[in-house]
Amino acid sequence: MQQSDSLRPPELAGAWYPALTRTLRADLSGYLQAPRKLPKAPKALIAPHAGYVYSGAMAGSAYAELAPVRATVRRVVLLGPAHRVGFDGIASHSAQAFLTPLGSVPLAHQALGALADLGYVGYLDEAHVGENSLELHIPFLQAALDDFELLPLLVGRADPGQVAAVLDRLWAGDETLFVISSDLSHYHDYDTARRLDGATTRAIEGMSIDLTGEQACGCMPINGLMYTARRRKMTVQTLGCCNSGDTAGGRDQVVGYGSYALY
């Protein structure tokens, strides 16, 4: 696997979230004001990846939990679903850094060395083009943490055991945080979405490894995280659940959002 010297630009700034640095900082500050709910800092988060006007507050409820480890976390392993390109396995990006309106985040290419013998992990830059599932989280991480390296991983066709193997190889200590990117149900009416997302939330709380794409677009990385969490006897706590009908959209066809923490 060969790293490049390129920089990935913020492709969705100005559309899915503010491109103006001052505006973005102000919005993130507002989203991160949620009160803490956890008895200890999380090892992993699950948070949504829609436009900030829709899911920013829900994502902020997860990232607000990082306040106690702001200076401790030095590596973030960010996993999300590949919406635009179909492929087998798990794909990182060869760029030197990812850019956002808040600056650059260096990629943790050396971490891929621990995965070198897993034949399903590699670089596939084209899968990251226009992909929102990872980019939407990076400004939140920049606002919630001090200096850190990022390992961005798009999950294609991969089973829970394959995802869990990646997590286990990279688990390390308190300096490493895992973030799973996922929205919940898509394009149901408001009441149906509330019912479906409530059931999905209960499944996540029960550490199900059988979520489907109808329940959560990030079902594959979530299932892998739960596979590992079961063995490590972790605790899951729901931080919030809503949908676009609660925020900035109509109620005829909504998208569901949830935030969860594991520790």
Side-chain angles (χ1 to χ4, degrees), residues 59-209:
S61 70
Y63 285 107
E65 299 294 332
L66 299 180
V69 291
R70 180 182 186 95
T72 302
V73 173
R74 287 290 177 260
R75 182 177 69 177
V76 178
V77 182
L78 173 61
L79 300 95
H83 292 104
R84 297 174 177 271
V85 176
F87 60 92
D88 293 325
I90 298 173
S92 190
H93 197 289
S94 65
Q96 178 184 4
F98 277 18
L99 303 179
T100 81
L102 302 183
S104 65
V105 178
L107 299 197
H109 290 285
Q110 75 285 355
L112 289 177
L115 311 176
D117 62 325
L118 300 179
Y120 54 89
V121 182
Y123 292 129
L124 188 63
D125 291 3
E126 55 264 38
H128 292 257
V129 175
E131 178 57 66
N132 61 291
S133 74
L134 303 186
E135 181 175 332
L136 273 289
H137 288 273
I138 299 172
F140 274 102
L141 289 163
Q142 289 173 296
L145 299 174
D146 292 338
D147 295 335
F148 66 96
E149 290 186 318
L150 178 72
L151 183 57
L153 297 173
L154 287 176
V155 180
R157 290 178 288 271
D159 64 44
Q162 289 177 313
V163 175
V166 170
L167 301 181
D168 286 336
R169 296 282 184 93
L170 301 174
W171 198 260
D174 293 341
E175 80 288 347
T176 297
L177 170 75
F178 296 93
V179 176
I180 307 296
S181 173
S182 184
D183 294 338
L184 301 180
S185 66
H186 283 61
Y187 309 131
H188 298 284
D189 66 81
Y190 181 85
D191 290 332
T192 299
R194 282 176 56 88
R195 175 175 55 80
L196 293 174
D197 295 340
T200 299
T201 290
R202 290 189 291 276
I204 290 172
E205 291 171 341
M207 294 190 184
S208 170
I209 61 170

Side-chain angles (χ1 to χ4, degrees), residues 5-86:
D5 295 326
S6 65
L7 303 175
R8 183 189 183 276
E11 297 180 11
L12 304 177
W16 294 61
Y17 62 96
L20 186 64
T21 300
R22 181 175 65 246
T23 303
L24 179 56
R25 288 191 187 279
D27 286 358
L28 290 168
S29 178
Y31 297 143
L32 291 168
Q33 294 304 310
R36 279 182 45 72
K37 297 183 179 181
L38 298 180
K40 60 188 296 186
K43 178 65 175 179
L45 297 172
I46 303 170
H49 54 234
Y52 285 5
V53 295
Y54 298 103
S55 68
M58 185 56 62
S61 70
Y63 285 107
E65 299 294 332
L66 299 180
V69 291
R70 180 182 186 95
T72 302
V73 173
R74 287 290 177 260
R75 182 177 69 177
V76 178
V77 182
L78 173 61
L79 300 95
H83 292 104
R84 297 174 177 271
V85 176

